[in-house]
Amino acid sequence: MTTKAKLFLKVAVSCVLIGSLIYQVDLSRLLSAALSPSLPLLACVVGIVIAQFFVGACRWFLLIRGTGVPLSPWQAFRILLAGMFFNQALPGSLSADTVRIWLVSRHGLPLSRAASTVLLDRTAGLVSILTLLIVTSVTVAKVAPDPNLSSVAILVVGGALVLLAMGLSSADWIADMIEDHRFGGALAAMLRDSRVLWRAGYQSAIVIGLSYLLHVISAFGLWVVFQSISVEVDFLMVLGALPLVILGTLLPISIGGWGVREGLMVGIFAMTGMPLEHALAASILWGLSVVVAASLGGLLWVLSRPVAERTENLTEAAGGPAS
């Protein structure tokens, strides 16, 4: 399937999902909630999302430092901002991870090593999501129609964590097996870099701690979105629902998670008795807040570059990573 076909399919999925949700709700109530939020509170949400970017950059920098990559904290933050911007501006062409790998490689690092730092960052986030999901699934299950849902969720997520831990602990052994194969060298290097997560002691604890902090900040941002449209919701319920929503949006089936995020938000919060219109409006406003924050981050990235390099790098980025 061509790139254009994949982009068209993702756009279609997002449109169908959002369209089906709009069809099920009272459009006048949805517009009333989505078009009359508290603007100061929404501005706070944008600030909260930018704070997420900063914490995410701190986590990534620790992993970069652990793998010996010569990148400063400010460079890590700027590159992360660029990745988030292009992820929103060009969702069909570039992902945030692709941009990060490309920009790190421009500092003289081989692409495989650059990819390792991003892979580790993603792995740290996945570990925190899965462990948090074990705890918070109980909160969500309390309002679910099936009382056995929490037990099933804990078993599934717990099994995934065990497999992930086994993979990290066996990274060296797996790397030794595959590094002599034709395409195994780069993957072997990534697996050896994963020791940072498994054996770095206090640094690993800080990385995972920052990952939990990211989720708490994100939940707080979503909770503020609900407050901006005058919807009362328990913060623990938001914190419990968020890992499920994040995991859903990681599926590469839509544009920037649009549609998938809204469907999960409506489905989860409808179990609490929240009107569908309020859950859908909150999800849309939350997504738009991320777009605004990413745009501001992209502007900061551009303005912080030397003037002579801005046009060249923007043009090159828009056309994709150079080979």
Side-chain angles (χ1 to χ4, degrees):
M1 185 180 294
T2 65
T3 302
K4 289 184 178 179
K6 291 179 181 178
L7 175 59
F8 176 79
L9 184 59
K10 289 183 178 182
V11 171
V13 169
S14 291
C15 291
V16 168
L17 289 175
I18 294 178
S20 64
L21 289 171
I22 293 176
Y23 179 76
Q24 299 176 51
V25 303
D26 185 324
L27 186 57
S28 61
R29 293 182 64 185
L30 173 62
L31 291 175
S32 177
L35 298 179
S36 58
S38 167
L39 294 182
L41 286 179
L42 281 186
C44 288
V45 174
V46 173
I48 290 169
V49 175
I50 293 175
Q52 277 185 266
F53 295 163
F54 176 75
V55 175
C58 290
R59 181 182 72 183
W60 188 35
F61 170 71
L62 287 176
L63 292 170
I64 289 173
R65 188 175 65 178
T67 56
V69 179
L71 211 65
S72 70
W74 172 240
Q75 288 173 322
F77 182 53
R78 289 179 61 257
I79 290 174
L80 187 139
L81 289 179
M84 296 305 300
F85 169 71
F86 282 109
N87 194 51
Q88 297 296 326
L90 301 169
S93 309
L94 299 171
S95 70
D97 291 344
T98 303
V99 172
R100 283 200 285 169
I101 291 170
W102 170 56
L103 290 177
V104 171
S105 70
R106 289 175 64 84
H107 288 269
L109 199 69
L111 281 175
S112 61
R113 293 284 291 169
S116 292
T117 66
V118 176
L119 177 65
L120 285 175
D121 189 47
R122 285 296 191 184
T123 303
L126 182 61
V127 169
S128 64
I129 289 176
L130 292 176
T131 53
L132 186 62
L133 191 57
I134 291 180
V135 178
T136 59
S137 61
V138 178
T139 303
V140 177
K142 287 180 180 178
V143 298
D146 187 351
N148 296 318
L149 184 61
S150 62
S151 299
V152 174
I154 290 174
L155 287 174
V156 172
V157 176
L161 274 173
V162 170
L163 291 175
L164 184 59
M166 290 174 62
L168 289 174
S169 62
S170 306
D172 284 339
W173 176 70
I174 298 174
D176 290 339
M177 289 181 59
I178 66 174
E179 67 179 345
D180 293 330
H181 291 272
R182 183 178 179 183
F183 300 106
L187 181 57
M190 292 182 190
L191 287 170
R192 289 198 171 96
D193 282 342
S194 71
R195 292 176 298 183
V196 174
L197 281 181
W198 193 249
R199 302 176 184 173
Y202 77 92
Q203 184 168 299
S204 296
I206 294 174
V207 167
I208 298 301
L210 288 174
S211 299
Y212 288 131
L213 179 59
L214 275 170
H215 296 308
V216 172
I217 293 173
S218 184
F220 180 64
L222 180 54
W223 181 82
V224 174
V225 171
F226 278 116
Q227 304 309 304
S228 73
I229 57 175
S230 302
V231 175
E232 293 298 327
V233 61
D234 192 302
F235 175 75
L236 290 179
M237 183 62 203
V238 177
L239 185 62
L242 201 56
L244 293 170
V245 175
I246 292 174
L247 284 176
T249 56
L250 291 178
L251 296 174
I253 61 174
S254 64
I255 294 294
W258 285 94
V260 176
R261 176 182 58 240
E262 284 67 38
L264 289 170
M265 287 271 290
V266 169
I268 293 173
F269 287 102
M271 293 188 298
T272 69
M274 180 184 296
L276 303 184
E277 296 82 4
H278 290 166
L280 181 54
S283 182
I284 292 172
L285 291 173
W286 186 31
L288 291 175
S289 298
V290 174
V291 171
V292 172
S295 299
L296 292 174
L299 180 62
L300 176 61
W301 171 67
V302 171
L303 294 178
S304 63
R305 298 190 66 79
V307 176
E309 298 179 8
R310 291 176 191 168
T311 303
E312 174 189 350
N313 284 290
L314 278 174
T315 302
E316 193 173 331
S323 57

